Amino acid sequence: MSLPDRTGLSRREYLRAVVAVGGASALSACVAENGETDVPGGTDDPDSLPSRQHAWNDALSTDDDGNVQLPEHHVLLALSLVEDGAPTDEDRETVETSLRTLERAYEWSNEGLVFTIGYTPAYFDRVGSLATETVDLPEPTALTTREDPEPDDFDALLHLASDHAEVVLRAEEALFGDVADVNGVDVDADLSSIFERLDDQRRTGFVGPGLPADHTDTSGVPEEVPEDAPFFMGFRSGFRANQATEDRATITEGPFEGGTTQHVSSMDIQLETWFTQDSHRQRIAKMFSPEHVDEELVGEIGERLSTSSGVTDERIEATAEDARTRGVVGHAQKAARAREDGQPLLLRRDFNTVDGDRPGLHFLSLQREIEEFVRVREAMTGSDLAGNGVGGVLNNGILQYIFVNRRGNYLVPPRSLRALPPGDPA
Amino acid sequence: MNRRRFFHCAGSVAALAAAAGCIGSDGLGGDPDDADDETDDGIDDDRQVTPDLPEIEDPPDAVYVPTHREAMRMLEPIEAGEYTLAPMLSYPHPFWLVDGRETERVDPDGGPAVHLMFSLWDDETGIVLPVDAGAQIRVEQNGQQVGSPRTPWPMISQEMGFHFGDNVPLDGDGTYTVEVTLPPIGVRKTGALEDRFTETETATFEFTYDEDFRQEVIGGIDYLDEEHWGERGAIEPMEHGHGAHGDDEHGDHHGDGDDDHGDHDDHHGDGDDDHGDHDDHHGDGDDDHGDHDDHSDHGHVPYSSLPPAEDYSGTLLGEPETGDATLVISLLEGDTRLTDGTEPYLLVSPRTPYNRVPLADMALSATIDRDGEELATFDLEQTLDDEYDLHYGAETGLDDAELEPGDTVTITVESPPQVSRHRGYETAFLEMPAVEVEIPEEVSE
């Protein structure tokens, strides 16, 4: 992929496009655009960092309502082991050293860098079976009749996130030995002898007010995307009351205690229909619930919602009745039917993308077990509602607008086991 | 961003002007100051992308005769597993989405686009499959995807009956490939349709978008006599397979133009006569609707016409109207094919007046009362059957009690058909009050 033409793009659009390209030239372009960014440094004391890789919330910023804000720029690096056979202790040390370089270079925060590395079922097949009595990590499969996803069947996925485009780009370069130092820290080891990057699987994206509206030049992104919307679908998301806590998403026993499971699905989003055919009223009904329309709970982009999507127990209970009597049900009310004791099961860290030059979503969620994700997805699919006032997709939440292309399941081990873990560390 | 130029063909000369090739936006409005602009998508704005169709002021809250018959290019039907799919292409035009009892008008944006439609039917029975399973379309040009994938809307139109369709933006003139993905059909299926349509199938077709196409579909619009615009009534189903336009008969429409619409039976009766030359499509349904085989032959596209009321077995409890739809209500006893047990099966078949197009994605419930006391209330399930086609049905749920003459059956429309509407259907089938029928003295077995 070549660098984007600078003309006609805002600074933000350009940086975003540069992250999508990646590599040394992208990094140079980023620095040329912005100058060297002054990024807070990291720590030489690994014990000062959380024992969970996915412990990001305390390190990220929050919005005015106290909801955790994800960093602006995201990169998912698909990694394939270079050598056949089980990794050696030496390999593990190389990986650990390389990851520690990033932690020494950058503060563990949105101003610096946060990251995780997760491993696929294919990886554990290769290194020796996972201790299934403590972690169930199924192969990714189609979860609806409308999809035929490619599985993420490579070995590992690195998720890099920062508010600074330069940081995610430089971190990637450092991991693969393409720079000698990173934020003033020497790069002594890198991953290139262990992992190969799968360039066709490199995924990127963005979060933040206005970022989606920057992409109206992309085919399939209509000008109607609201100016301040943080996500393509036009509404705020990630309300703290609707997110699982990190504790809830964490594995609590066995050798991978302190880890989590991660589901990543990549999908196209049909925004032209959503924004130029559906009305605002219909978008609210389909995204939240018909009651959100009646009670005017949402506002233009969800600004009236503060720390919750406003889906009450009563509204969740009423999902089937809304289908029958209102002819439409909301995505949020449907999916919330999978809550346990009123608590959400998923900690979503998904982000929008224009990978492939069309609008999409890299849906990334953390949960204690993959099976919990599957339950939420089934509730969201709402096949029980089809034919009972809503169609298989028609007026059945937002199903009509999403097209799943890939799915992947991962184990994100605790930090102590993040470097090429064996299947049964005990 | 791309401001496109629109001419305005205002007022009563609109039909003439549009037929003569006026560029228009179908009521979208536009800025005449842009008249010299060219868009940056390679389409010369002197070309006509969308006809400027006249509007009907204040149409009735009922099925009404539109201003014109839509012209379209019919492509060769394609087989895909158990299905056959017939793609049709027209100019982009307004249609109406439905959620609950509200409609939302969708207007084309004036850019290069087609109104892409397809009918889908079962090869074996010839039944048009009028249910939303979430089909997907992906459009490509020269191997490059054009826009995002989309799920076309389930729609009803007087000409095409039930079909799937959407206004699909294009990148300008050229040849496009469309891949259609048909997921399994999840609704309840009975009879010969039970256990069918469980696999995902795909079909691919190509079309060329160019000046010839635009002239063909826009020039082919057939305006009806203006005195009939907005009258209660409907134009006849199109002559699928015989060319979408160009014969002299398609100006006909059902409906007598007076205000006495109370008696649908007259219209159905008329329809049977009028349809004499449409026998291959649905006229034969009157005699032998069980035999759909004719439909799949000769490259014809079957029309989604339900059997007339008298073709339903069991006891016809009535054909009440609500919201201008007709609800054929039948009680089937002694036929356990549709039920698990031995109780009678209450079958409700909602359809449009005149053309008997099935009304899908409704929610119906039934209540049975005796002497003012409720005996049972239950939901009716949307069902596809090879004999009864799309209907809503359930066992009567009376347990050990038997239905008696004089018992009343109330059908409540909890939500009207959520399918999108072409012009002439958008004001009907929205406010649909409950209807009541009575168990007659003699119940036929």
Side-chain angles (χ1 to χ4, degrees):
Chain A
M1 209 148 95
S2 55
L3 284 173
D5 182 358
R6 180 67 188 84
T7 50
L9 298 178
S10 72
R11 186 178 145 272
R12 209 156 62 176
E13 286 172 279
Y14 181 66
L15 290 175
R16 154 73 199 122
V18 161
V19 171
V21 173
S25 60
L27 178 56
S28 310
C30 183
V31 172
E33 176 71 20
N34 256 2
E36 290 277 352
T37 313
D38 189 13
V39 180
T43 175
D44 289 331
D45 176 14
D47 291 339
S48 68
L49 293 168
S51 61
R52 298 171 182 172
Q53 287 197 77
H54 59 288
W56 292 13
N57 286 2
D58 287 345
L60 300 181
S61 58
T62 52
D63 66 15
D64 291 346
D65 293 315
N67 302 301
V68 171
Q69 283 180 310
L70 282 178
E72 277 193 23
H73 296 281
H74 294 254
V75 176
L76 297 175
L77 296 177
L79 305 176
S80 179
L81 285 168
V82 173
E83 300 286 342
D84 290 338
T88 62
D89 286 346
E90 196 183 333
D91 295 339
R92 290 193 176 94
E93 201 177 311
T94 303
V95 171
E96 183 60 25
T97 306
S98 180
L99 297 177
R100 282 193 186 178
T101 301
L102 296 183
E103 290 166 348
R104 289 185 6 244
Y106 294 119
E107 181 182 87
W108 183 256
S109 75
N110 53 298
E111 284 292 323
L113 176 74
V114 289
F115 64 91
T116 62
I117 183 168
Y119 297 87
T120 62
Y123 167 85
F124 288 106
D125 282 350
R126 185 190 276 231
V127 303
S129 299
L130 202 55
T132 50
E133 66 275 14
T134 52
V135 182
D136 188 16
L137 189 68
E139 303 277 350
T141 57
L143 296 177
T144 75
T145 58
R146 294 182 71 236
E147 64 183 47
D148 184 20
E150 292 286 326
D152 287 353
D153 53 6
F154 41 82
D155 291 305
L157 189 77
L158 249 167
H159 180 189
L160 305 170
S162 171
D163 280 347
H164 302 293
E166 183 193 326
V167 171
V168 289
L169 288 169
R170 197 179 291 279
E172 181 180 352
E173 292 300 282
L175 286 172
F176 284 88
D178 297 328
V179 289
D181 68 277
V182 49
N183 209 24
V185 173
D186 288 344
V187 177
D188 296 329
D190 67 73
L191 300 177
S192 57
S193 63
I194 312 290
F195 284 121
E196 181 190 355
R197 270 179 292 180
L198 304 178
D199 288 340
D200 61 339
Q201 281 308 313
R202 187 175 178 277
R203 285 172 259 184
T204 67
F206 44 87
V207 177
L211 281 174
D214 280 345
H215 290 280
T216 51
D217 283 344
T218 302
S219 163
V221 183
E223 291 184 58
E224 286 81 356
V225 173
E227 198 59 38
D228 298 327
F231 291 98
F232 269 145
M233 298 293 274
F235 298 111
R236 292 169 73 196
S237 178
F239 299 105
R240 65 179 191 228
N242 305 117
Q243 291 274 52
T245 60
E246 284 176 354
D247 282 349
R248 181 62 187 79
T250 299
I251 296 167
T252 53
E253 53 186 14
F256 291 104
E257 179 186 342
T260 186
T261 72
Q262 171 177 277
H263 180 82
V264 180
S265 44
S266 293
M267 62 196 78
D268 286 308
I269 317 178
Q270 174 50 258
L271 293 177
E272 288 170 329
T273 308
W274 181 246
F275 281 111
T276 69
Q277 298 191 356
D278 283 281
S279 64
H280 190 61
R281 176 180 60 76
Q282 288 172 313
R283 286 193 291 275
I284 291 172
K286 290 177 182 182
M287 180 61 81
F288 299 100
S289 83
E291 190 190 40
H292 281 68
V293 178
D294 299 347
E295 304 294 326
E296 300 182 358
L297 298 176
V298 177
E300 198 56 34
I301 60 162
E303 69 275 11
R304 291 190 196 151
L305 304 165
S306 54
T307 59
S308 147
S309 62
V311 174
T312 59
D313 291 349
E314 197 183 7
R315 227 53 254 155
I316 299 167
E317 286 278 304
T319 303
E321 192 192 332
D322 280 353
R324 287 196 69 84
T325 61
R326 303 296 301 266
V328 59
V329 291
H331 164 72
Q333 72 179 146
K334 257 195 311 180
R337 295 182 299 167
R339 287 182 190 170
E340 252 179 38
D341 303 325
Q343 296 302 309
L345 301 175
L346 311 187
L347 174 53
R348 289 178 53 175
R349 288 181 174 159
D350 48 289
F351 46 91
N352 283 131
T353 184
V354 289
D355 287 347
D357 292 325
R358 54 181 195 264
L361 174 73
H362 296 306
F363 178 94
L364 188 157
S365 77
L366 306 176
Q367 54 283 312
R368 192 169 290 160
E369 300 171 40
I370 292 293
E371 188 271 333
E372 292 170 328
F373 169 76
V374 173
R375 260 158 50 205
V376 174
R377 190 58 178 80
E378 282 172 358
M380 169 189 156
T381 301
S383 49
D384 55 315
L385 306 169
N388 284 296
V390 299
V393 300
L394 178 68
N395 294 352
N396 196 339
I398 57 170
L399 301 177
Q400 181 165 358
Y401 312 91
I402 59 174
F403 301 83
V404 175
N405 299 315
R406 300 195 67 88
R407 288 191 183 281
N409 291 334
Y410 299 87
L411 172 65
V412 179
R415 189 179 302 274
S416 59
L417 289 167
R418 66 181 170 177
L420 303 172
D424 189 354
Chain B
M1 187 167 57
N2 294 344
R3 302 179 77 191
R4 295 187 172 87
R5 158 182 122 172
F6 305 113
F7 286 129
H8 290 281
C9 306
S12 61
V13 297
L16 186 65
C22 178
I23 300 167
S25 63
D26 198 8
L28 247 191
D31 184 349
D33 295 340
D34 284 350
D36 294 324
D37 288 357
E38 286 201 349
T39 59
D40 59 5
D41 52 22
I43 292 283
D44 181 339
D45 271 341
D46 287 339
R47 294 179 192 173
Q48 185 180 11
V49 169
T50 312
D52 195 3
L53 299 165
E55 294 285 328
I56 293 173
E57 298 287 324
D58 200 20
D61 291 334
V63 176
Y64 69 90
V65 178
T67 55
H68 63 282
R69 292 183 73 90
E70 187 174 336
M72 65 196 72
R73 181 178 284 182
M74 309 283 305
L75 304 183
E76 278 298 305
I78 314 156
E79 291 185 12
E82 300 175 87
Y83 309 107
T84 301
L85 171 148
M88 297 166 269
L89 297 160
S90 187
Y91 47 83
H93 60 67
F95 58 91
W96 286 260
L97 309 181
V98 178
D99 65 302
R101 288 172 171 79
E102 309 268 347
T103 57
E104 192 64 43
R105 176 174 165 145
V106 172
D107 280 301
D109 70 0
V114 287
H115 187 73
L116 188 153
M117 301 170 274
F118 61 88
S119 273
L120 182 71
W121 65 93
D122 171 31
D123 278 339
E124 222 163 271
T125 60
I127 287 183
V128 173
L129 298 164
V131 288
D132 163 47
Q136 303 172 25
I137 57 175
R138 288 175 173 79
V139 179
E140 285 190 358
Q141 187 181 30
N142 302 323
Q144 296 290 312
Q145 191 168 314
V146 177
S148 299
R150 57 177 64 220
T151 292
W153 302 96
M155 287 192 181
I156 51 173
S157 99
Q158 294 173 9
E159 287 168 87
M160 273 82 67
F162 182 93
H163 65 280
F164 297 91
D166 201 351
N167 290 339
V168 178
L170 302 175
D171 280 349
D173 283 5
T175 298
Y176 293 87
T177 305
V178 181
E179 184 186 79
V180 182
T181 308
L182 302 165
I185 294 178
V187 305
R188 176 176 181 245
K189 291 159 288 186
T190 52
L193 303 183
E194 197 178 346
D195 303 325
R196 305 252 337 261
F197 319 123
T198 55
E199 301 292 324
T200 295
E201 305 291 352
T202 57
T204 304
F205 62 90
E206 281 193 354
F207 70 91
T208 299
Y209 180 75
D210 58 10
E211 192 56 26
D212 283 350
F213 169 79
R214 289 186 290 273
Q215 285 185 1
E216 176 188 327
V217 295
I218 295 174
I221 295 172
D222 182 13
Y223 287 88
L224 305 177
D225 201 337
E226 190 171 340
E227 68 178 289
H228 296 303
W229 296 359
E231 280 178 1
R232 294 183 68 161
I235 51 176
E236 286 187 14
M238 69 186 294
E239 281 239 34
H240 281 298
H242 290 168
H245 57 89
D247 69 57
D248 292 324
E249 298 170 59
H250 54 223
D252 295 348
H253 59 87
H254 303 277
D256 45 16
D258 65 33
D259 292 324
D260 175 17
H261 190 65
D263 185 1
H264 273 165
D265 287 342
D266 282 350
H267 298 302
H268 291 305
D270 290 346
D272 293 345
D273 294 331
D274 290 350
H275 288 186
D277 59 343
H278 290 282
D279 277 351
D280 287 343
H281 308 291
H282 62 161
D284 62 347
D286 296 350
D287 299 316
D288 180 15
H289 194 80
D291 179 10
H292 286 273
D293 288 346
D294 288 354
H295 295 285
S296 51
D297 294 338
H298 320 306
H300 282 195
V301 178
Y303 185 85
S304 57
S305 184
L306 292 171
E310 57 270 24
D311 282 10
Y312 286 76
S313 54
T315 303
L316 183 66
L317 301 183
E319 301 172 70
E321 286 172 31
T322 180
D324 210 29
T326 302
L327 270 51
V328 171
I329 305 173
S330 187
L331 190 68
L332 277 64
E333 293 193 277
D335 179 0
T336 56
R337 183 171 67 79
L338 291 159
T339 65
D340 296 331
T342 55
E343 292 184 46
Y345 184 73
L346 182 67
L347 180 153
V348 179
S349 171
R351 71 272 308 279
T352 67
Y354 319 111
N355 294 345
R356 303 197 306 267
V357 175
L359 295 174
D361 287 327
M362 301 177 75
L364 300 177
S365 63
T367 305
I368 299 175
D369 291 281
R370 179 175 303 160
D371 303 327
E373 196 174 322
E374 182 179 306
L375 293 185
T377 184
F378 49 92
D379 292 341
L380 302 175
E381 188 173 0
Q382 178 164 254
T383 303
L384 263 182
D385 182 75
D386 60 315
E387 185 180 354
Y388 304 114
D389 210 321
L390 181 90
H391 68 273
Y392 301 78
E395 290 185 64
T396 48
L398 291 177
D399 298 326
D400 294 333
E402 299 263 322
L403 280 170
E404 292 177 6
D407 290 350
T408 60
V409 179
T410 305
I411 305 298
T412 302
V413 179
E414 295 181 51
S415 54
Q418 300 296 299
V419 292
S420 302
R421 322 288 179 81
H422 277 219
R423 201 183 284 273
Y425 276 157
E426 81 278 12
T427 52
F429 329 128
L430 294 171
E431 292 301 327
M432 303 181 77
V435 294
E436 189 180 295
V437 290
E438 197 168 287
I439 304 294
E441 284 299 325
E442 286 195 14
V443 172
S444 63
E445 286 298 313

